[in-house]
C-alpha cells in the first residue's frame, strides 16, 4: 500500500510540473499517433556499455590490439576511432593470408569476425533480461504496455533489450505462438507487426544476444564509414522511413542523446519540413542532481527553437511515472488530476482579420486537437462581402455561422482533457456586426451555444489575436476572388476584433513579414511553453448581451 501511495505522489508531482506534455502525449497515445524512440540510456541499467566504453573495450581486445591506436586518435570522434580500429583489424587479418588478391570471401569473413568482436564486447558483463530484471529496471516495465499498444517503436541501440523484455513478459496467450515482437532493420520493408505483435525498428542495426545468425542486420552504423553514409542517406532522402515516422507521430525520446549528430540532423530536417509538429525529449537527471535554472532555460529554448523538441527534465522514477500517466485509463487520469487541482483542458483560439494566416497556421498544428473555421461545407453566400448581403441572406448566414461555433464548443465541452486549437473564437461574429447589434448577436451566440435549460458555458481559452499587414492580407484574399476586402476594410475588421476581445488575457502576435513556418513556431511556443492564461469568454459575452458594449 505505501508503494502505491508513493507512485501516486510521483504521478501527481510530475503532472503538476508538465501537465500539457502529459495531456498531449496521452491524446497521441489514445489515437495511435504516439511514437517512441529509445537511445542508449535505456540499456545502461542492464550493464550495457556507453559508446565510448564499447570502443575502448574493443580496442583492448587481443584480436584487435588497438589501445595505442585509439589513444593516438583520442581527439577524433568515436565513429572515426571505430573506423580506425576496424581498418587496423582488417589490415592484421590481411597479413594472415597468403594470396595476393583480396576476394569477396575475405571481406565477408572479416566483417563476420568484426561483428563477433562487437557482439562479445556489447554483451560482456550484461545482466540477463528476465521478467524479474525488467521489473527492477527504473522505467522499462512502465513502457511495455505502451510499446505493445503502438505499431512501431524505434530504438537506436544494437542490443535486444526491448525484444527480450517483450518476450519475457508476454501474455500466456502468446506463449507457443509468438515471440512477442518483430525486429526490423530495413526501413524499406513494411513496418507492420503480425497481429498484436509490435515492431521494433533498429535503424542503426541489430545484434541479438542469443546468436548472430538470428535476424542478421544488413547495416551497422558504428564506424566513420557507415556513419557518414547514414548522414548522406538522411540528406538524400534514403532515411525517409525515420522522417516519415517523426512526421506522422508525436515522439517521446527516451535515453536519446543530442550529442549524436545523426539524431540532430534528423530532428532538424523534420523541424524544417513540418514546422508545426513537436516532439518530447527526456533530459535525464541523475539521482541527487539538480539542473540549474540557466541550463534548464538554455536547453529548453535551444531544443524547442532548433529541433522542435519540448524538453522534460526527469529522474528515473519520474520517467516511469510519465509512462504510467500516458497509459492510464481516462477515468482514472481525470480523477487523479481533478482531485489534485490540475488543469487538463487547454484551449487556444486563433483569431484575426481575413487573410492574416491563422488557417494556414492551424493546418500545420495537426498533432493537436484542431478545429477548422467551419466544421461543415461553407455556404456560398459567405463568399460575398457582409455589407452586401440581403436581409434574408444575412439571417441565413448568421444562423449557419452561430451553429459552427456551437459545434466547436460542443466538441471541446465534451472532452475532459486535451490541447485544443480552434480557428476563430466565439466573439469573432461581433467583428462582422454593427456595434449597435452586438447585444443581439451576443444573445444569439449564447442561446445557441448554451441553451437556457442547460448548464453549459462558452469554453474558456487563451485568445491569440494575429495582426498583419493589411495591404498584404488584401492581396492574399484576391487569390480566392474576394476582391471586395480592401486593406481599409481589413484594418477596421482587426480593430473590431481587438475591441470585442479587449486587452486583458489576449495574446497579440504580429505576423507582419513572418514566413508561415516562423509564425507557426511562435504560436507553438505559446501553446507548449508559455503560461496558460485563459479568458472567461462566457462572462464577456454575457456582459455584451446585457450592456450592448464591451466591459
Amino acid at each position: 500500500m505505501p508503494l502505491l501511495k508513493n507512485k501516486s505522489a510521483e504521478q501527481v508531482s510530475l503532472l503538476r510540473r508538465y501537465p500539457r506534455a502529459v495531456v498531449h502525449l496521452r491524446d497521441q497515445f489514445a489515437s495511435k499517433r504516439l511514437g517512441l524512440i529509445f537511445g542508449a540510456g535505456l540499456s545502461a541499467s542492464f550493464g550495457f556499455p556507453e559508446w565510448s566504453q564499447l570502443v575502448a573495450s574493443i580496442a583492448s581486445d587481443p584480436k584487435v590490439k588497438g589501445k595505442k591506436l585509439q589513444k593516438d586518435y583520442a581527439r577524433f570522434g568515436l565513429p572515426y576511432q571505430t573506423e580506425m580500429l576496424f581498418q587496423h583489424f582488417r589490415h592484421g587479418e590481411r597479413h594472415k593470408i597468403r594470396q595476393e588478391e583480396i576476394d569477396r570471401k575475405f571481406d565477408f569473413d572479416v566483417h563476420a569476425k568484426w561483428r563477433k568482436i562487437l557482439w562479445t564486447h556489447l554483451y560482456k558483463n550484461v545482466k540477463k533480461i528476465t521478467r524479474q530484471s525488467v521489473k527492477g529496471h527504473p522505467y522499462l516495465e512502465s513502457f511495455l504496455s505502451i510499446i505493445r499498444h503502438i505499431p512501431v517503436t524505434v530504438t537506436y541501440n544494437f542490443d535486444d533489450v526491448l525484444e527480450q523484455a517483450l518476450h519475457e513478459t508476454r501474455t500466456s496467450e502468446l506463449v507457443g505462438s509468438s515471440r512477442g515482437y518483430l525486429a526490423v532493420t530495413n526501413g524499406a520493408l513494411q513496418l507492420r507487426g503480425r497481429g498484436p505483435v509490435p515492431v521494433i525498428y533498429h535503424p542503426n542495426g541489430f545484434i541479438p544476444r542469443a546468436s548472430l545468425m538470428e535476424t542478421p542486420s544488413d547495416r551497422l552504423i558504428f564506424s566513420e564509414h557507415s556513419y557518414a553514409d547514414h548522414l548522406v542517406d538522411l540528406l538524400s532522402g534514403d532515411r525517409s522511413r525515420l522522417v516519415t515516422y517523426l512526421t506522422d507521430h508525436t515522439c517521446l525520446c527516451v535515453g536519446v542523446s543530442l550529442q549524436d549528430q545523426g539524431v540532430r540532423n534528423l530532428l532538424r530536417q523534420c523541424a524544417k519540413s513540418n514546422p508545426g509538429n513537436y516532439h518530447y525529449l527526456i533530459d535525464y537527471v541523475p539521482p541527487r542532481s539538480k539542473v540549474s535554472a540557466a541550463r534548464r532555460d538554455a536547453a529548453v529554448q535551444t531544443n524547442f527553437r532548433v529541433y522542435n523538441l519540448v524538453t522534460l527534465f526527469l529522474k528515473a522514477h519520474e520517467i516511469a511515472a510519465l509512462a504510467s500517466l500516458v497509459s492510464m485509463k481516462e477515468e482514472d487520469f481525470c480523477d487523479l488530476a481533478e482531485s489534485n487541482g490540475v488543469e487538463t483542458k487547454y484551449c487556444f483560439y486563433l483569431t484575426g482579420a481575413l487573410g492574416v494566416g491563422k488557417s494556414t497556421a492551424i493546418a500545420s498544428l495537426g498533432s493537436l486537437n484542431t478545429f477548422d473555421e467551419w466544421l461543415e461545407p461553407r455556404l456560398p453566400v459567405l463568399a460575398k462581402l457582409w455589407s452586401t448581403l440581403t436581409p434574408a441572406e444575412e439571417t441565413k448566414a448568421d444562423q449557419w455561422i452561430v451553429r459552427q461555433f456551437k459545434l466547436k464548443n460542443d466538441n471541446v465541452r465534451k472532452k475532459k482533457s486535451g490541447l485544443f486549437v480552434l480557428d476563430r473564437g466565439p466573439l469573432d461574429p461581433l467583428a462582422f456586426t454593427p456595434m449597435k447589434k452586438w447585444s443581439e448577436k451576443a444573445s444569439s451566440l449564447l442561446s445557441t451555444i448554451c441553451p437556457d435549460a442547460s448548464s453549459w458555458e462558452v469554453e474558456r481559452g487563451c485568445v491569440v489575436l494575429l495582426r498583419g499587414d493589411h495591404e498584404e492580407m488584401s492581396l492574399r484574399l484576391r487569390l480566392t476572388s474576394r476582391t471586395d476586402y480592401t486593406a481599409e476594410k481589413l484594418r477596421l475588421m482587426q480593430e473590431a476584433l481587438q475591441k470585442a476581445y479587449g486587452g486583458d488575457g489576449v495574446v497579440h502576435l504580429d505576423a507582419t513579414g513572418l514566413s508561415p513556418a516562423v509564425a507557426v513556431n511562435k504560436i507553438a511556443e505559446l501553446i507548449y511553453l508559455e503560461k496558460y492564461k485563459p479568458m472567461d469568454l462566457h462572462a464577456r459575452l454575457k456582459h455584451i448581451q446585457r450592456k450592448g458594449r464591451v466591459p
Side-chain angles (χ1 to χ4, degrees):
M1 193 66 179
L3 182 61
L4 292 176
K5 288 184 178 179
N6 290 337
K7 182 178 179 181
S8 178
E10 290 171 358
Q11 291 170 343
V12 172
S13 175
L14 181 65
L15 187 56
R16 284 176 173 156
R17 284 173 59 201
Y18 298 114
R20 272 176 278 184
V22 173
V23 166
H24 188 206
L25 290 168
R26 282 181 53 80
D27 263 357
Q28 297 302 83
F29 176 62
S31 60
K32 293 188 180 293
R33 293 196 299 170
L34 176 66
L36 286 177
I37 302 178
F38 288 101
L42 171 74
S43 304
S45 295
F46 288 108
F48 283 92
E50 296 180 358
W51 193 355
S52 60
Q53 296 169 330
L54 180 58
V55 172
S57 183
I58 291 173
S60 64
D61 190 293
K63 296 178 182 177
V64 178
K65 300 176 182 178
K67 289 183 70 174
K68 184 178 183 304
L69 186 68
Q70 190 205 10
K71 183 178 179 181
D72 292 342
Y73 288 90
R75 62 189 179 89
F76 289 81
L78 291 171
Y80 193 84
Q81 292 180 41
T82 310
E83 184 68 32
M84 294 293 291
L85 291 172
F86 171 70
Q87 294 302 335
H88 176 68
F89 172 74
R90 185 180 186 278
H91 183 73
E93 291 297 303
R94 173 68 183 87
H95 279 281
K96 292 179 182 179
I97 61 175
R98 294 186 176 183
Q99 67 253 40
E100 295 181 0
E101 294 185 5
I102 302 298
D103 57 14
R104 293 183 67 210
K105 179 176 176 295
F106 170 78
D107 282 332
F108 275 82
D109 287 345
V110 166
H111 279 87
K113 292 176 182 178
W114 184 250
R115 287 185 183 224
K116 178 65 174 178
I117 291 171
L118 177 56
W119 176 86
T120 299
H121 292 276
L122 178 65
Y123 285 99
K124 184 172 64 176
N125 301 322
V126 170
K127 300 176 185 176
K128 185 178 180 181
I129 298 176
T130 63
R131 184 180 290 266
Q132 196 60 35
S133 65
V134 169
K135 282 183 174 293
H137 189 279
Y139 53 81
L140 176 56
E141 186 182 32
S142 300
F143 276 100
L144 291 180
S145 61
I146 300 177
I147 293 171
R148 289 189 171 102
H149 181 79
I150 63 179
V152 179
T153 294
V154 175
T155 174
Y156 276 96
N157 302 329
F158 299 141
D159 61 63
D160 60 359
V161 165
L162 291 178
E163 286 83 357
Q164 289 302 312
L166 290 167
H167 174 75
E168 292 295 325
T169 61
R170 62 191 165 151
T171 60
S172 57
E173 290 81 4
L174 288 178
V175 174
S177 63
S178 171
R179 292 182 296 183
Y181 64 88
L182 177 63
V184 175
T185 62
N186 187 350
L189 300 176
Q190 284 190 345
L191 299 187
R192 183 182 302 167
R194 295 166 184 165
V197 175
V199 169
I200 307 300
Y201 175 39
H202 294 258
N204 280 0
F206 181 41
I207 303 177
R209 180 173 190 160
S211 170
L212 285 172
M213 293 186 293
E214 180 186 352
T215 318
S217 175
D218 56 356
R219 62 166 61 85
L220 280 179
I221 299 175
F222 185 58
S223 66
E224 180 73 10
H225 183 275
S226 58
Y227 198 76
D229 283 350
H230 169 67
L231 297 181
V232 171
D233 289 346
L234 183 60
L235 295 173
S236 64
D238 288 343
R239 306 295 287 185
S240 58
R241 175 64 71 178
L242 283 173
V243 174
T244 301
Y245 187 78
L246 270 84
T247 300
D248 292 343
H249 298 83
T250 296
C251 293
L252 176 61
C253 303
V254 185
V256 175
S257 172
L258 292 184
Q259 293 181 9
D260 187 327
Q261 184 182 349
V263 171
R264 296 200 309 274
N265 285 0
L266 173 67
L267 290 169
R268 182 57 188 159
Q269 179 177 337
C270 292
K272 290 186 68 176
S273 62
N274 195 357
N277 194 28
Y278 286 77
H279 307 283
Y280 293 87
L281 173 73
I282 293 178
D283 192 322
Y284 174 66
V285 181
R288 297 181 295 279
S289 297
K290 291 186 178 180
V291 181
S292 68
R295 178 186 176 277
R296 183 185 300 270
D297 292 343
V300 166
Q301 292 300 324
T302 299
N303 294 344
F304 191 85
R305 294 173 184 272
V306 179
Y307 303 114
N308 279 26
L309 289 174
V310 178
T311 308
L312 312 176
F313 296 90
L314 302 178
K315 295 185 177 180
H317 66 276
E318 293 173 322
I319 300 175
L322 175 62
S324 63
L325 284 170
V326 169
S327 58
M328 188 180 290
K329 292 181 180 179
E330 179 71 6
E331 183 179 354
D332 294 338
F333 174 75
C334 290
D335 283 349
L336 180 70
E338 189 175 348
S339 63
N340 287 278
V342 180
E343 177 71 56
T344 59
K345 184 187 290 188
Y346 300 88
C347 191
F348 297 86
Y349 294 100
L350 263 59
T351 186
L354 297 176
V356 76
K358 55 182 179 51
S359 298
T360 301
I362 285 181
S364 297
L365 296 168
S367 68
L368 304 173
N369 291 305
T370 59
F371 294 93
D372 294 336
E373 184 172 8
W374 315 124
L375 301 188
E376 296 175 321
R378 184 195 301 263
L379 291 180
V381 71
L382 294 180
K384 297 182 179 181
L385 191 65
W386 195 261
S387 59
T388 66
L389 299 182
T390 66
E393 288 176 329
E394 186 175 333
T395 299
K396 182 179 181 181
D398 257 337
Q399 292 174 346
W400 186 85
I401 289 172
V402 171
R403 171 176 162 75
Q404 302 310 303
F405 285 98
K406 172 180 168 37
L407 291 174
K408 287 190 278 190
N409 199 79
D410 285 348
N411 273 281
V412 177
R413 174 177 56 79
K414 292 174 182 178
K415 297 285 187 179
K416 286 192 173 183
S417 67
L419 266 65
F420 304 94
V421 184
L422 294 86
D423 191 338
R424 294 211 170 279
L427 275 65
D428 276 42
L430 300 178
F432 297 85
T433 306
M435 281 200 67
K436 62 183 180 181
K437 293 186 176 181
W438 275 24
S439 176
E440 181 183 338
K441 180 59 66 72
S443 293
S444 175
L445 286 163
L446 286 167
S447 62
T448 303
I449 297 174
C450 317
D452 290 338
S454 74
S455 59
W456 303 343
E457 290 191 351
V458 176
E459 290 292 319
R460 292 158 52 89
C462 174
V463 176
V464 183
L465 179 56
L466 276 67
R467 303 195 308 273
D469 180 273
H470 308 117
E471 294 288 349
E472 175 66 25
M473 291 154 61
S474 180
L475 288 174
R476 291 176 188 169
L477 292 175
R478 296 183 77 86
L479 289 173
T480 54
S481 301
R482 289 180 284 181
T483 57
D484 292 329
Y485 286 100
T486 63
E488 177 60 16
K489 288 176 180 175
L490 294 173
R491 183 186 68 80
L492 294 173
M493 187 184 299
Q494 184 171 286
E495 288 182 356
L497 285 167
Q498 291 174 341
K499 186 181 292 291
Y501 286 101
D504 295 340
V506 176
V507 178
H508 295 267
L509 178 58
D510 190 353
T512 304
L514 299 182
S515 67
V518 173
V520 167
N521 292 151
K522 289 185 176 294
I523 294 168
E525 190 168 354
L526 293 170
I527 295 171
Y528 288 102
L529 300 184
E530 298 295 329
K531 185 176 180 180
Y532 181 64
K533 298 178 180 178
M535 283 184 66
D536 190 342
L537 297 168
H538 188 86
R540 192 169 182 85
L541 266 179
K542 278 285 191 182
H543 181 94
I544 295 171
Q545 179 190 34
R546 292 193 307 269
K547 304 290 186 179
R549 54 182 173 79
V550 294

